[in-house]
């Protein structure tokens, strides 16, 4: 069953320009999508895309200009730090106030009160007015209330950015459990890593319009690579191809094991980088190579055809197809580029080089199948191989004091 059905949602605001003319601004423009029970839906988009406006309409903070949003079930929302809290009330009083606003009875609130306090970590300040809380404490208690009052629908904005790394990990784990238990979660974030790890589906907003919706990797690729001219594949004509009188590059692409060009791949998925090139000069020893660079410009992988029979031997003139398999569980998540090059030695000479010729996205999920296992925090590493570990418990070893 769909917990949220959004049909043609539009929100229009009046604007007055410097000249005094009255104009209108469409914060949302005919947006439609659905959220089913058990789904965690990520909402992506740049600043001004309409993400917060969408959540405020769904939370009934503002009314749409036109269109309809139907929500089935109790709704918990966390749009800004401390929304719904009274600054002069204590943390304890605000927990009961927020729960009562959501329609819970006193016995229901008391049944989950200890879990809320334990999750938030603000027990020592529970009898203190929340106006003296830090922003992190405010957010932790607000999230704990929203996530533990068993709403059928939970709406979460970018507020998780306020918390520290350990609390963000707890939040992501809690949101994932809500989805697994059949609730629906709408998660708005600029943190694409969190979207990739948490969400089962995603939508992309841009200037109020719904650009696309579907699988998380596809939507993230559209979001991160949308301005890229060459996501996944690039070809050249005879007039503009990189090269010289010895060799010329024709095509390069990223593809999966079924031969389909891909603009995004999963960490736990092997893929190929294909290169097509022409050789014009006879008997030149050529070394084709690919370099994969991450979004910081760091070269995380370089490879040449050292495993083939013609490596280090002169090549005949003609057309060549070269392919290199990138194994699963090697690259880290993020935006990658591929540089293709052709070099000869003695003396060293570069015959073509196409820096950052194509872009693709690497995504990761916390499902226990990749090298991260169920570890949810950010991993600061350029490669992420899945290595064999041996961890043994020794009950006879003394424990140092």
């Amino acid at each position: 069953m769909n917990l949220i059905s959004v049909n043609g949602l539009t929100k229009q605001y009046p604007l007055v320009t410097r000249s005094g003319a009255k104009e209108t601004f469409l914060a949302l423009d005919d947006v439609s999508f659905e959220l089913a029970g058990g789904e965690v839906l990520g909402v992506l988009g740049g600043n001004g895309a309409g993400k917060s406006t969408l959540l405020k309409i769904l939370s009934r903070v503002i009314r749409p200009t036109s269109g309809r949003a139907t929500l089935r079930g109790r709704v918990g929302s966390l749009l800004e730090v401390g929304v719904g809290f009274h600054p002069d009330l204590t943390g304890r009083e605000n927990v009961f106030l927020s729960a009562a606003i959501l329609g819970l009875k006193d016995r229901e609130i008391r049944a989950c009160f200890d879990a809320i306090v334990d999750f938030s970590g603000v027990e020592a300040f529970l009898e203190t007015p929340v106006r003296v809380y830090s922003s992190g404490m405010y957010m932790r208690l607000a999230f704990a209330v929203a996530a533990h009052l068993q709403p059928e629908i939970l709406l979460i904005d970018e507020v998780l950015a306020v918390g520290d790394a350990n609390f963000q990990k707890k939040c992501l784990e809690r949101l994932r459990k809500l989805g697994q238990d059949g609730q629906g979660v709408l998660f708005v974030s600029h943190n694409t890593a969190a979207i990739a790890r948490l969400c089962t589906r995603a939508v992309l907003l841009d200037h109020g319009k719904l650009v696309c919706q579907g699988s998380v990797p596809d939507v993230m690729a559209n979001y991160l690579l949308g301005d890229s001219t060459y996501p996944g594949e690039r070809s050249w004509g005879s007039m503009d191809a990189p090269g010289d009188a010895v060799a010329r590059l024709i095509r390069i692409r990223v593809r999966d094991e079924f031969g389909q060009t891909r603009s995004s791949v999963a960490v736990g998925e092997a893929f190929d980088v294909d290169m097509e090139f022409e050789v014009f000069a006879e008997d030149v020893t050529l070394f084709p190579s690919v370099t994969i660079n991450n979004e910081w410009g760091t070269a995380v992988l370089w490879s040449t055809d050292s495993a083939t029979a013609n490596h280090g031997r002169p090549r005949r003139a003609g057309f060549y197809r070269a392919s290199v398999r990138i194994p699963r569980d090697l690259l880290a998540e993020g935006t990658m580029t591929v540089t293709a090059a052709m070099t000869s030695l003695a003396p060293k000479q570069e015959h073509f080089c196409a820096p950052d010729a194509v872009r693709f996205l690497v995504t990761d999920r916390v499902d226990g199948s990749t090298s991260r296992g169920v570890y949810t925090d950010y991993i600061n590493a350029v490669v992420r191989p899945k290595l064999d570990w041996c961890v043994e418990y020794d009950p006879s070893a003394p424990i140092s004091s």
Side-chain angles (χ1 to χ4, degrees):
M1 180 183 73
N2 289 324
L3 299 179
I4 298 179
S5 298
V6 174
N7 296 290
L9 211 58
T10 299
K11 181 61 180 178
Q12 181 175 289
Y13 290 102
L15 289 178
V16 178
T17 64
R18 291 183 178 179
S19 63
K22 294 183 177 180
E23 298 180 0
T24 59
F25 167 71
L26 283 175
L28 286 179
D29 187 3
D30 194 25
V31 172
S32 300
F33 65 88
E34 294 177 335
L35 172 67
E39 279 194 317
V40 181
L41 182 66
V43 182
L44 288 164
N47 293 328
K51 305 184 300 297
S52 295
T53 300
L54 171 64
L55 261 65
K56 288 178 180 178
I57 291 176
L58 296 179
S59 301
R60 298 182 176 89
V61 175
I62 59 177
R63 297 176 63 88
T65 304
S66 62
R68 184 179 181 86
T70 303
L71 289 80
R72 302 173 179 89
R74 179 185 295 152
V75 179
S77 60
L78 193 57
L79 308 187
E80 298 173 11
V81 175
V83 165
F85 282 3
H86 192 292
D88 293 325
L89 297 180
T90 66
R92 179 186 299 274
E93 291 167 335
N94 271 298
V95 170
F96 279 85
L97 174 63
S98 298
I101 291 173
L102 286 175
L104 272 72
K105 298 179 180 179
D106 185 72
R107 59 179 174 80
E108 294 176 305
I109 303 172
R110 294 185 184 280
C112 58
F113 182 81
D114 289 344
I116 291 173
V117 175
D118 181 66
F119 188 93
S120 68
V122 299
E123 182 176 5
F125 305 91
L126 204 56
E127 311 304 333
T128 305
V130 298
R131 57 181 162 78
V132 302
Y133 282 18
S134 68
S135 59
M137 293 168 58
Y138 223 131
M139 189 277 296
R140 296 205 310 267
L141 184 59
F143 181 90
V145 171
H148 283 78
L149 296 182
Q150 299 179 350
E152 283 78 23
I153 301 168
L154 186 59
L155 310 175
I156 302 291
D157 205 345
E158 188 64 64
V159 292
L160 295 186
V162 179
D164 57 31
N166 288 332
F167 188 73
Q168 288 185 30
K169 176 182 177 180
K170 289 174 62 176
C171 291
L172 293 176
E173 291 173 347
R174 181 64 186 177
L175 293 176
R176 187 179 303 108
K177 186 177 186 302
L178 288 176
Q180 293 171 350
D181 291 343
Q183 295 96 329
V185 179
L186 197 70
F187 182 53
V188 171
S189 180
H190 287 286
N191 187 340
T192 54
I195 294 281
R197 297 171 199 161
L198 175 68
C199 298
T200 56
R201 200 163 56 87
V203 299
L204 175 60
L205 297 176
D206 184 33
H207 293 87
K209 291 184 175 292
L210 183 67
V211 176
C212 66
Q213 58 180 310
S215 70
V216 173
D218 288 345
V219 174
M220 284 183 58
N222 196 313
Y223 175 53
L224 295 174
L225 306 177
D227 295 332
S228 174
T229 309
Y230 306 104
E233 181 175 1
R234 186 175 183 182
S235 299
W236 291 266
S238 59
M239 300 299 294
D240 61 350
D244 58 13
V246 173
R248 182 171 62 190
L249 180 62
I250 298 175
R251 185 191 189 200
I252 187 167
R253 68 166 179 153
V254 176
R255 67 171 176 87
D256 60 23
E257 58 182 335
F258 305 106
Q260 299 298 311
T261 299
R262 297 283 293 273
S263 59
S264 68
V265 296
V267 165
E269 180 181 14
F271 64 94
D272 293 339
V273 176
D274 291 348
M275 185 197 310
E276 296 179 2
F277 57 90
E278 289 180 308
V279 174
F280 304 110
E282 293 280 356
D283 299 329
V284 178
T285 301
L286 298 172
F287 298 90
S289 66
V290 295
T291 303
I292 296 181
N293 308 283
N294 65 15
E295 53 207 89
W296 310 111
T298 301
V300 299
L301 181 152
W302 177 93
S303 183
T304 189
D305 65 336
S306 59
T308 63
N310 56 2
H311 174 72
R313 297 181 178 181
R315 298 178 189 265
R316 299 171 57 187
F319 177 85
Y320 289 83
R321 290 189 182 93
S323 182
V324 56
R325 170 65 54 91
I326 310 300
R328 57 173 295 169
D329 295 308
L330 177 64
L331 299 181
E333 60 199 297
T335 305
M336 305 288 173
T337 63
V338 180
T339 294
M342 183 71 73
T343 308
S344 61
L345 301 178
K348 181 179 179 180
Q349 183 176 356
E350 187 176 80
H351 301 287
F352 65 71
C353 181
D356 301 330
V358 295
R359 294 179 181 271
F360 67 99
L361 181 70
V362 180
T363 62
D364 196 7
R365 292 185 61 84
V366 184
D367 57 7
S369 64
T370 69
S371 59
R372 72 161 51 246
V374 295
Y375 180 74
T376 59
D377 204 358
Y378 174 70
I379 300 174
N380 184 22
V382 296
V383 292
R384 194 179 299 168
K386 193 173 184 179
L387 305 177
D388 292 330
W389 277 60
C390 178
V391 180
E392 297 178 338
Y393 171 65
D394 186 355
S396 64
I399 299 177
S400 58
S401 58

